[in-house]
Amino acid sequence: MTALSDIIRADVRAMTAYQVADLPEGFIKLDAMESPYHPFAASPELMEEWGRQLAAAPIHLYPNPAASGLQQALREVFDIPAAAEIALGNGSDELIQLITMLVAKPGATMLALEPSFVMYRHNALTYGMNYVGVPLNDDFSMNLGAVLAAIETHNPALVFVSYPNNPTGVGFKREEVEAVIAAARGIVVVDEAYGAFSSDSFLNQAGVAANLVVMRTVSKIGFAGIRIGYAAGSAEVMNELAKIVPPYNMNQLSLATAKFAMAHADVIAGTTAKLKAERERILGGLAGIGRLKAFASEANFITVRVPDAVELFETLKQNKILVKKLHGTHPLLDQCVRITVGAPEQNDAVLAVIRKLYAS
Ligand SMILES: *Cc1c(COP(=O)(O)O)cnc(C)c1O
């Protein structure tokens, strides 16, 4: 009899599972770019109306994401050009997976910047693509020359650019991303997971540049729990992608919530503005501390380099604050931690620990 371990792919058996933090009660969770706020909790009326919408959702019927009206609502709220087709995913994680599947011919290559979102490489390996990672510069800016050279050498079928980049928070120059889109013969996904916190977007180019797919998610703006991402791109790409999107990949409760959210986009924008102001306040607080370097951020997190990242991580943990220890995941992230922007009192708690450690 064949052992199951012989049946299951050796490369998968050699992987390690994505670690989702399981936190004790009372911890401040600033490791995963979640919003500190339930999006509707500040308004009893909104909470009630949302509850009514959920109660009315036809959960006995299969969802029909295409006919749900969500795509149209997204189009209106985010000014997605008429030329672009939209795909909905169960989180943008699913869209990353599906776009990878779409191009994963034997021998095909995926290119991404390093360090960046770990799921790009993970999907390349899962679907048997070659993976080329091009290192960023020391200040986390794009090494455009190296990227263009790698595109020339490897002719990637798929390029991922996280704009702004996770886990560094830095936004690349728009002209650099434009140069990547122009140089690549394959699909370029501009992953705007943090687009709501950024000063720039490629959404207005979706459907205009044939090989561009702009990917977004509602996860970082208060809806990580409903798992909805979307991608906008040319019909040439998106009509093919549509063939491999599972027909019922979104659920009725999430669809109802997302549509409700789009009808109250002003409330969500208000929270986003508040978090952006908090980001700048934290950066201001960190700027005066000479022993650390905080990188300017276009996202809802701040990456800092400190004298001893393990010490900071552990000290924060002793103070019941969880952040992401980046140190050890990539040479460019030496002694770095990534801190999600939280509510003011949470951010104050982080700043207090950091000041105690490093303000001399
Ligand atoms: C968080 C994140 C995603 C995943 O978002 P989901 O919609 O929650 O799956 C995608 N890309 C980047 C760069 C992210 O940071």
Side-chain angles (χ1 to χ4, degrees):
M1 212 174 85
T2 317
L4 284 174
S5 58
D6 289 335
I7 290 169
I8 293 168
R9 288 162 44 176
D11 58 336
V12 173
R13 281 191 284 129
M15 291 175 185
T16 46
Y18 191 92
Q19 292 299 322
V20 176
D22 185 17
L23 276 193
E25 191 94 7
F27 252 74
I28 299 176
K29 190 171 185 303
L30 300 177
D31 66 323
M33 283 74 86
E34 291 145 313
S35 170
Y37 306 109
H38 184 298
F40 310 130
S43 157
E45 294 79 25
L46 270 186
M47 281 297 267
E48 230 169 81
E49 182 52 30
W50 172 54
R52 274 196 292 275
Q53 298 290 334
L54 284 184
I59 58 170
H60 57 302
L61 301 178
Y62 280 113
N64 185 345
S68 66
L70 179 57
Q71 295 186 5
Q72 192 51 35
L74 291 168
R75 217 179 258 288
E76 284 160 21
V77 170
F78 297 112
D79 286 327
I80 300 172
E85 299 290 333
I86 299 174
L88 298 172
N90 198 295
S92 48
D93 268 336
E94 187 186 42
L95 292 168
I96 294 171
Q97 185 182 4
L98 291 168
I99 294 167
T100 306
M101 284 171 63
L102 190 65
V103 300
K105 295 188 204 171
T109 297
M110 177 196 291
L111 184 146
L113 307 175
E114 296 260 330
S116 191
F117 191 44
V118 292
M119 295 312 289
Y120 307 148
R121 179 172 180 274
H122 176 80
N123 276 285
L125 301 185
T126 301
Y127 291 103
M129 293 185 81
N130 302 321
Y131 177 80
V132 175
V134 181
L136 300 174
N137 295 316
D138 286 347
D139 62 356
F140 301 147
S141 61
M142 188 191 298
N143 184 343
L144 182 60
V147 175
L148 294 180
I151 288 174
E152 174 83 24
T153 305
H154 300 284
N155 188 23
L158 184 54
V159 178
F160 278 102
V161 178
S162 174
Y163 183 78
N165 190 39
N166 176 15
T168 58
V170 173
F172 304 118
K173 292 201 185 97
R174 185 178 178 91
E175 308 80 66
E176 292 169 344
V177 180
E178 283 170 347
V180 171
I181 296 166
R185 283 196 278 146
I187 296 170
V188 177
V189 177
V190 175
D191 180 350
E192 297 189 353
Y194 302 94
F197 303 95
S198 163
S199 53
D200 191 36
S201 169
F202 274 84
L203 264 182
N204 62 0
Q205 291 301 300
V208 179
N211 66 335
L212 169 67
V213 174
V214 180
M215 204 170 69
R216 287 199 155 199
T217 176
V218 296
S219 294
K220 312 295 165 25
I221 54 171
F223 298 90
I226 70 170
R227 311 304 302 126
I228 289 190
Y230 57 98
S234 66
E236 205 178 335
V237 172
M238 303 310 280
N239 290 348
E240 301 306 323
L241 184 68
K243 297 175 186 174
I244 60 169
V245 176
Y248 306 125
N249 67 334
M250 325 277 300
N251 70 77
Q252 300 281 27
L253 299 179
S254 291
L255 287 171
T257 301
K259 274 199 294 176
F260 183 71
M262 288 308 111
H264 299 281
D266 53 329
V267 175
I268 296 156
T271 304
T272 301
K274 206 155 107 182
L275 291 170
K276 280 170 75 174
E278 273 298 298
R279 175 185 75 200
E280 298 311 310
R281 187 178 71 89
I282 301 170
L283 281 168
L286 295 174
I289 305 174
R291 293 174 65 206
L292 60 77
K293 159 130 188 80
F295 291 88
S297 170
E298 292 269 308
N300 66 334
F301 62 87
I302 294 169
T303 296
V304 290
R305 175 168 288 127
V306 295
D308 186 340
V310 174
E311 176 193 40
L312 175 58
F313 177 80
E314 292 300 336
T315 309
L316 285 167
K317 213 161 150 187
Q318 282 156 18
N319 286 272
K320 294 194 164 187
I321 301 167
L322 183 71
V323 299
K324 174 78 177 177
K325 183 175 61 194
L326 299 173
H327 179 75
T329 61
H330 190 277
L332 285 171
L333 296 170
D334 195 53
Q335 302 301 348
C336 287
V337 301
R338 185 189 66 194
I339 305 165
T340 303
V341 175
E345 63 279 10
Q346 298 178 323
N347 303 330
D348 286 341
V350 172
L351 282 170
V353 171
I354 291 179
R355 283 206 187 94
K356 204 163 157 196
L357 264 183
Y358 297 121
S360 39

